[in-house]
Amino acid sequence: MKRSLYASAAVLAITAAGAQAQDLVFAPGEGGFNWASYEEFAAAHDLTGQTVTVSGPWLSGDRDLVNSVFAYFTAATGATVEYAGSDSFEAELRRAAQTGGLPNIAVIPQPGLLADLARQGSIAPLSDADAAWIAENYAAGESWVDLATGENAQAGGEALNGFFYKVDVKSLVWYSPAVFEELGFEIPETMEDLIALSDAAVAEGIAPWCIGVGSGDATGWPATDWVEDIMLRTQPLEVYDQWVANDIPFNDERIVNAIEVFGSFARNEDYTGMSPAQVVATDFRDSPDGVFSVPPTCLMHRQASFIPTFFPEGADFDFFYFPPFAAEDLGSPVLGAGTVWAITEDSEASRVMIEFLKTPIAHEIWMAQSGFLTPHTGVDTSLYGDDTLRGMGEILLGATSFRFDASDLMPAEIGAGAFWTGMVEYLRTGDAAGEAGRIQETWTAIR
């Protein structure tokens, strides 16, 4: 039996806390959403009486937002969605993989966890058709396929293990438009232009870069993000992937070069207005303050999409894409993160949920509210809830490749240990090769 999109103006969304009525946040047919493809999806699927259990990392407001998307799945198919969020999601998912009780779908923030579960036989492989759809319909589609592909015990070899939905961007530079206008500065299109802009700022008596890598016990992680972005701008993707897997040593000359390029910004006192020791001591949350001081003490701040949370109230800000080196001809890479949806307990309704995630409406409903970015090329970007999200969405759509934060993919002893501390020591010593060698020694020791 076919279902009608317009059958009900309100549906039930079932949460882990119990049954809770939830209206559709946008009425069918309104607001410029891609209702036509949703109507086709609804007509093709009747899952009345079936349930999909979903576990993920989202709590509070994000839980409400994902449930608002699930409401449209329920309206289209008749299936119930039960979502359970947890701040101990990774540990609980690993335990369920050992003892039983996996959900139908797990929303996984770490590709490494996805790979572990697939190797252990806890992930049902997606199809070649799914991979082809992603490659065709996501910007930098092959990157998204690559990131979710790996050994799968159920498939008896390599397979697509998940579907990326909801991503974040890190390759961003934040600035004050008013200050740029006053100085006559234009947004750089290449890294060469960005360096020239930095030198022009120095000539104007302003330190071009606000950099601080302090973060309590996690001090050093902002430096690793710089190195990762530079790796994507100086080396092909296969070298980045080999670095992440330690298939090439951490002290390979190509990685040492990326560290030194980072140092050309962060250890350059003309660029930061500080000594390297001060860069280490400055908390990353405080480091952008100079952009907004009067007069400004620094011009630009490279950081991920979350950083405006720490800007002064009422700050005038905008951002641009951290650009590539024109001389390297490596396209427009983007560094970021995201959640990958994997089937951990196979069912018809689980497979249909993956089909739902392909529809523009599954993205547009969350886009139009808050905190959501997508590489789906079929969405209407005018529906983003604000200009900041829209601009980041355009960066994603302009990407030629996408890679996850390398430190998040490395073993914890490296990515959240030796890499962080090694970059702190590099800022102090300037010895890129030596610090990279010490990181490699740690990696060798944990094998």
Side-chain angles (χ1 to χ4, degrees):
M1 180 180 66
K2 294 182 178 179
R3 293 187 56 82
S4 170
L5 161 62
Y6 304 104
S8 175
V11 295
L12 289 180
I14 309 300
T15 69
Q20 173 180 321
Q22 178 170 321
D23 292 339
L24 298 177
V25 291
F26 302 102
E30 75 173 15
F33 296 90
N34 194 328
W35 296 114
S37 65
Y38 180 55
E39 180 78 359
E40 293 173 6
F41 172 81
H45 301 290
D46 185 358
L47 302 174
T48 303
Q50 297 190 42
T51 297
V52 185
T53 55
V54 182
S55 294
W58 298 312
L59 298 167
S60 189
D62 283 337
R63 178 188 57 212
D64 294 339
L65 286 164
V66 74
N67 274 327
S68 77
V69 176
F70 288 146
Y72 289 84
F73 178 80
T74 296
T77 67
T80 296
V81 181
E82 296 179 354
Y83 172 74
S86 172
D87 55 7
S88 303
F89 171 75
E90 179 176 351
E92 291 173 8
L93 189 60
R94 288 186 184 278
R95 184 163 55 250
Q98 297 292 326
T99 63
L102 284 167
N104 292 120
I105 293 176
V107 182
I108 301 174
Q110 308 96 351
L113 174 57
L114 175 72
D116 288 348
L117 293 173
R119 281 192 297 267
Q120 295 166 11
S122 297
I123 302 292
L126 301 184
S127 68
D128 291 342
D130 292 324
W133 185 94
I134 294 166
E136 177 67 22
N137 292 279
Y138 270 22
E142 291 293 348
S143 290
W144 297 106
V145 173
D146 291 345
L147 284 167
T149 297
E151 288 297 316
N152 184 301
Q154 292 189 30
E158 280 209 340
L160 179 68
N161 295 320
F163 187 103
F164 276 96
Y165 170 89
K166 191 179 186 298
V167 302
D168 297 298
V169 174
K170 292 193 172 187
S171 301
L172 302 172
V173 179
W174 301 85
Y175 70 102
S176 167
V179 172
F180 262 52
E181 182 177 358
E182 181 179 346
L183 294 171
F185 290 163
E186 296 183 355
I187 302 304
E189 299 292 330
T190 68
M191 187 63 71
E192 290 88 344
D193 291 341
L194 183 61
I195 293 169
L197 173 61
S198 300
D199 292 337
V202 172
E204 292 286 345
I206 301 176
W209 289 98
C210 318
I211 304 177
V213 304
S215 186
D217 291 342
T219 290
W221 73 258
T224 68
D225 280 6
W226 269 87
V227 173
E228 291 154 4
D229 246 338
I230 292 166
M231 277 291 291
L232 289 173
R233 286 151 180 76
T234 56
Q235 301 299 327
L237 291 177
E238 56 266 26
V239 174
Y240 186 91
D241 294 341
Q242 289 166 350
W243 170 49
V244 167
N246 204 219
D247 291 337
I248 56 176
F250 210 104
N251 56 343
D252 181 278
E253 62 182 8
R254 293 164 290 187
I255 300 162
V256 171
N257 173 71
I259 297 170
E260 290 175 338
V261 171
F262 162 61
S264 72
F265 290 87
R267 299 194 77 257
N268 183 338
E269 295 190 27
D270 288 337
Y271 273 18
T272 66
M274 297 187 290
S275 69
Q278 289 172 310
V279 170
V280 171
T282 300
D283 192 283
F284 82 94
R285 288 155 285 213
D286 299 329
S287 58
D289 287 353
V291 172
F292 309 109
S293 64
V294 181
T297 57
C298 50
L299 192 66
M300 297 174 285
H301 181 68
R302 186 228 151 271
Q303 189 50 274
S305 55
F306 69 82
I307 195 62
T309 301
F310 302 106
F311 289 171
E313 185 175 352
D316 168 43
F317 67 87
D318 203 346
F319 62 90
F320 59 85
Y321 168 62
F322 190 57
F325 282 100
E328 299 294 344
D329 194 25
L330 292 171
S332 300
V334 169
L335 179 73
T339 55
V340 58
W341 295 47
I343 297 175
T344 44
E345 186 65 36
D346 210 350
S347 69
E348 177 191 9
S350 302
R351 297 284 171 174
V352 175
M353 177 65 79
I354 298 300
E355 292 302 311
F356 176 64
L357 296 182
K358 296 176 184 177
T359 66
I361 205 78
H363 301 246
E364 291 171 343
I365 294 300
W366 201 333
M367 283 169 55
Q369 297 181 80
S370 67
F372 185 90
L373 295 172
T374 179
H376 194 314
T377 58
V379 302
D380 182 348
T381 57
S382 70
L383 293 170
Y384 272 113
D386 58 53
D387 290 340
T388 297
L389 288 169
R390 188 174 302 109
M392 293 178 191
E394 295 291 353
I395 288 173
L396 268 177
L397 292 179
T400 57
S401 61
F402 187 98
R403 282 298 184 268
F404 257 62
D405 182 304
S407 59
D408 287 346
L409 301 178
M410 295 172 179
E413 296 92 335
I414 305 300
F419 193 6
W420 290 355
T421 57
M423 292 306 93
V424 168
E425 290 307 307
Y426 164 67
L427 285 168
R428 291 172 173 153
T429 67
D431 182 7
E435 297 307 330
R438 281 182 273 279
I439 296 169
Q440 181 55 45
E441 289 173 2
T442 302
W443 208 322
T444 301
I446 65 174
R447 284 182 169 173

